[in-house]
Amino acid sequence: MGIAEEIKKLKVESNAVILAHNYQVPEVQDVADFCGDSLDLCRKAEKTGADTIVFCGVDFMAETASILTGKKVLVPDADARCPMAGMLPAVQVREAKKKHPGIPVVLYINTLAEAKAEADVICTSANMLEVINSLDSDTVIFGPDSNMAYFARKKTKKNIITIPEAGHCIVHRGLIPAKRISEMLKLHPAAILLAHPECEPEVQEMAHHIASTNGMLKLARALPAKEFIVATEEGLGYRLSKENPDKKFYVLAGAVCRNMKKTTLEKVRECLTRKEPQVFVPPDIAKKARRAIERMMELSKG
Ligand code: 13P
Ligand code: SF4
């Protein structure tokens, strides 16, 4: 029996569902029940009837699924951490609230549970504008991604106070430089540039569309264009090409999130066999963070 078959058997035996982020390696995406962006995976976690969730992604995603569902969440590699999520400690959110009393705090889902527990509402790259616009305040505290703050300032016209000053994704900042994007645009003049809002402002300015990873999948399906330059982690290219075999997708070789790639089929099989590592969020933190996550889910029902 091949490893994928073994995983399927183990999954049935433990009534588990496998959720995978769009940046996971192809073989992990292929064994998953659902692939998606951060918001879509929250929805899939909420809806599942399975007892156990195997989360193939990074720390904050698995934590969020655990908080939302209260179910057992297994992670194939407990070291798969999003560096950006680690850039905003809870203490810094508390300090910002003290400094700006009464100003609502919107945190990107790429934060750890302790920080989420201090937020009024969470957002993802798919619903950020909707969440910020829903707030009855001209000023909003937002963190940790300064590039997403740039996007929000431009699109909502609200005053966005960023915490920390320069939080960012090392992949979208360091490995997707504007210079390479403009070279690619010259090389493929008919291509549509899709960019993630975690990209640098210069890349955002060049983009035809700015969207979450699921948003890019939707655009690639819907637009008549035959060629796309994809300014995000290269793993999205797999799903884009699989779902649109008649179209061409130019991803940036080397734009790799090493943490997303820590999950392998062997580790998925091992965690299903051993029933660990399991995500643990202290109940008091989970209770506070759940309020902010549920508020987002409520706003993004449609
Ligand atoms: P999406 O929610 O758009 O998939 O983004 C998650 C992420 O970590 C991007 O780097
Ligand atoms: Fe975090 Fe960036 Fe990796 Fe997304 S691509 S998980 S933001 S480090």
Side-chain angles (χ1 to χ4, degrees):
M1 197 190 311
I3 186 158
E5 280 69 36
E6 277 184 66
I7 290 170
K8 279 178 194 153
K9 190 166 166 274
L10 285 163
K11 204 177 66 175
V12 173
E13 282 165 10
S14 41
N15 189 23
V17 67
I18 301 180
L19 303 183
H21 186 264
N22 291 326
Y23 296 160
Q24 290 291 294
V25 293
E27 58 274 23
V28 169
Q29 293 197 31
D30 287 344
V31 89
D33 295 286
F34 299 103
C35 295
D37 68 4
S38 309
L39 180 62
D40 189 25
L41 293 175
C42 283
R43 290 193 177 121
K44 297 291 188 297
E46 255 191 333
K47 278 193 197 140
T48 185
D51 300 320
T52 300
I53 296 170
V54 177
F55 211 113
C56 304
V58 286
D59 52 2
F60 73 85
M61 296 178 175
E63 271 189 0
T64 308
S66 160
I67 293 167
L68 253 182
T69 65
K71 293 192 179 191
K72 181 189 281 186
V73 177
L74 299 173
V75 283
D77 189 318
D79 264 343
R81 301 177 202 279
C82 167
M84 171 155 60
M87 287 178 192
L88 183 56
V91 63
Q92 211 168 336
V93 187
R94 286 193 284 274
E95 279 165 11
K97 289 203 288 190
K98 238 186 234 161
K99 198 169 160 197
H100 308 283
I103 301 298
V105 178
V106 181
L107 291 190
Y108 189 27
I109 196 164
N110 297 39
T111 42
L112 296 174
E114 260 195 65
K116 283 191 179 77
E118 300 295 334
D120 292 294
V121 61
I122 303 304
C123 73
T124 76
S125 55
N127 61 16
M128 176 188 207
L129 304 179
E130 186 188 1
V131 168
I132 292 180
N133 280 328
S134 77
L135 298 166
D136 188 21
S137 170
D138 291 339
T139 304
V140 164
I141 297 170
F142 175 78
D145 192 351
S146 51
N147 288 343
M148 288 187 66
Y150 171 84
F151 178 61
R153 259 180 217 117
K154 207 173 145 187
K155 296 286 180 184
T156 67
K157 312 274 186 253
K158 296 217 185 204
N159 176 31
I160 311 282
I161 302 168
T162 44
I163 49 167
E165 194 65 40
H168 62 278
C169 161
I170 51 174
V171 179
H172 288 83
R173 170 158 295 177
L175 305 176
I176 306 179
K179 194 170 168 284
R180 268 185 78 191
I181 296 292
S182 49
E183 282 165 9
M184 285 169 90
L185 280 167
K186 272 189 208 125
L187 208 61
H188 309 288
I192 296 290
L193 173 59
L194 306 177
H196 197 276
E198 288 176 14
C199 285
E200 293 283 89
E202 295 88 330
V203 174
Q204 293 190 30
E205 291 304 326
M206 284 187 265
H208 297 98
H209 300 275
I210 297 176
S212 74
T213 57
N214 265 33
M216 291 190 202
L217 285 157
K218 217 169 151 183
L219 285 161
R221 276 192 295 269
L223 295 171
K226 291 285 178 207
E227 290 177 81
F228 296 85
I229 296 166
V230 185
T232 194
E233 210 268 356
E234 55 93 40
L236 186 66
Y238 176 64
R239 242 189 109 179
L240 283 166
S241 303
K242 198 171 152 182
E243 292 180 10
N244 305 278
D246 57 325
K247 300 190 178 189
K248 273 201 180 127
F249 299 95
Y250 307 112
V251 294
L252 280 92
V256 174
C257 174
R258 284 204 268 143
N259 281 281
M260 281 284 181
K261 306 306 192 219
K262 284 182 180 167
T263 302
T264 61
L265 278 188
E266 286 76 12
K267 290 180 194 170
V268 174
R269 176 179 60 188
E270 199 181 330
C271 84
L272 269 166
T273 308
R274 294 175 43 227
K275 310 276 185 281
E276 58 178 26
Q278 190 180 330
V279 173
F280 172 73
V281 181
D284 54 325
I285 300 285
K287 192 176 168 201
K288 286 172 78 185
R290 189 178 305 120
R291 280 201 302 257
I293 301 167
E294 281 179 348
R295 188 164 170 197
M296 167 185 83
M297 298 307 282
E298 196 57 37
L299 284 168
S300 293
K301 257 186 179 157

